[in-house]
Amino acid sequence: MTYKVEVQPDGPYWSIWVPAIRRATQAKRLKDVDAMAKDLIYVMTDEKDPAIDVEMELPAEVAEARQLKEEAEKADAKARESQTSVIKKLHRSGMPYRTSAPSSVSATSGHNSSPPPRH
């Protein structure tokens, strides 16, 4: 079963309202809202299904920020996969790993590397 959960900032906490059971709780961190809502639902309903779902309704600006962060993380992962694929392909064609990575990123660490060599 899926329960809608209304989430609002409330001072240093997140206020969690579950309309289906007409009860509220709170969480210190946004990442804890799901677990706190499920705990409340289990306690107040004697729900036995461990697979209940919580659908969070967040303030618009919070929801947008979370969505943008997820999209950025997916784009970053896709870029890393693409870069790794290209570097491996170049290496198979004889180019050393050291020179096949983009100049601002190390092929092995993903961190900024030393400046590109001067020609």
Side-chain angles (χ1 to χ4, degrees), residues 5-9 14 30 33 55-64 66:
V5 175
E6 298 170 8
V7 183
Q8 294 290 326
W14 291 94
L30 189 56
V33 167
E55 183 180 307
M56 288 193 284
E57 293 181 9
L58 299 166
E61 64 274 9
V62 176
E64 180 182 17
R66 286 184 65 167

Side-chain angles (χ1 to χ4, degrees), residues 3-21:
Y3 288 85
K4 286 193 176 190
V5 175
E6 298 170 8
V7 183
Q8 294 290 326
D10 185 19
Y13 299 99
W14 291 94
S15 174
I16 306 163
W17 172 250
V18 185
I21 61 171

Side-chain angles (χ1 to χ4, degrees), residues 21-24 37-47:
I21 61 171
R22 302 180 52 81
R23 294 287 188 261
K38 286 179 179 179
D39 284 349
L40 178 66
I41 293 163
Y42 286 132
V43 168
M44 299 308 295
T45 64
D46 292 326
E47 179 76 58

Side-chain angles (χ1 to χ4, degrees), residues 68-79:
L68 290 171
K69 183 178 179 190
E70 283 179 24
E71 290 170 4
E73 288 171 351
K74 287 177 184 176
D76 185 55
K78 186 176 180 179

Side-chain angles (χ1 to χ4, degrees), residues 40-102:
L40 178 66
I41 293 163
Y42 286 132
V43 168
M44 299 308 295
T45 64
D46 292 326
E47 179 76 58
K48 302 299 183 216
D49 183 3
I52 66 167
D53 291 314
V54 171
E55 183 180 307
M56 288 193 284
E57 293 181 9
L58 299 166
E61 64 274 9
V62 176
E64 180 182 17
R66 286 184 65 167
Q67 180 181 353
L68 290 171
K69 183 178 179 190
E70 283 179 24
E71 290 170 4
E73 288 171 351
K74 287 177 184 176
D76 185 55
K78 186 176 180 179
R80 277 188 265 122
E81 288 174 17
S82 177
Q83 180 177 338
T84 299
S85 175
V86 168
I87 290 170
K88 287 179 179 180
K89 183 177 179 181
L90 290 170
H91 181 69
R92 284 192 301 271
S93 71
M95 185 176 286
Y97 282 121
R98 185 177 199 173
T99 58
S100 62

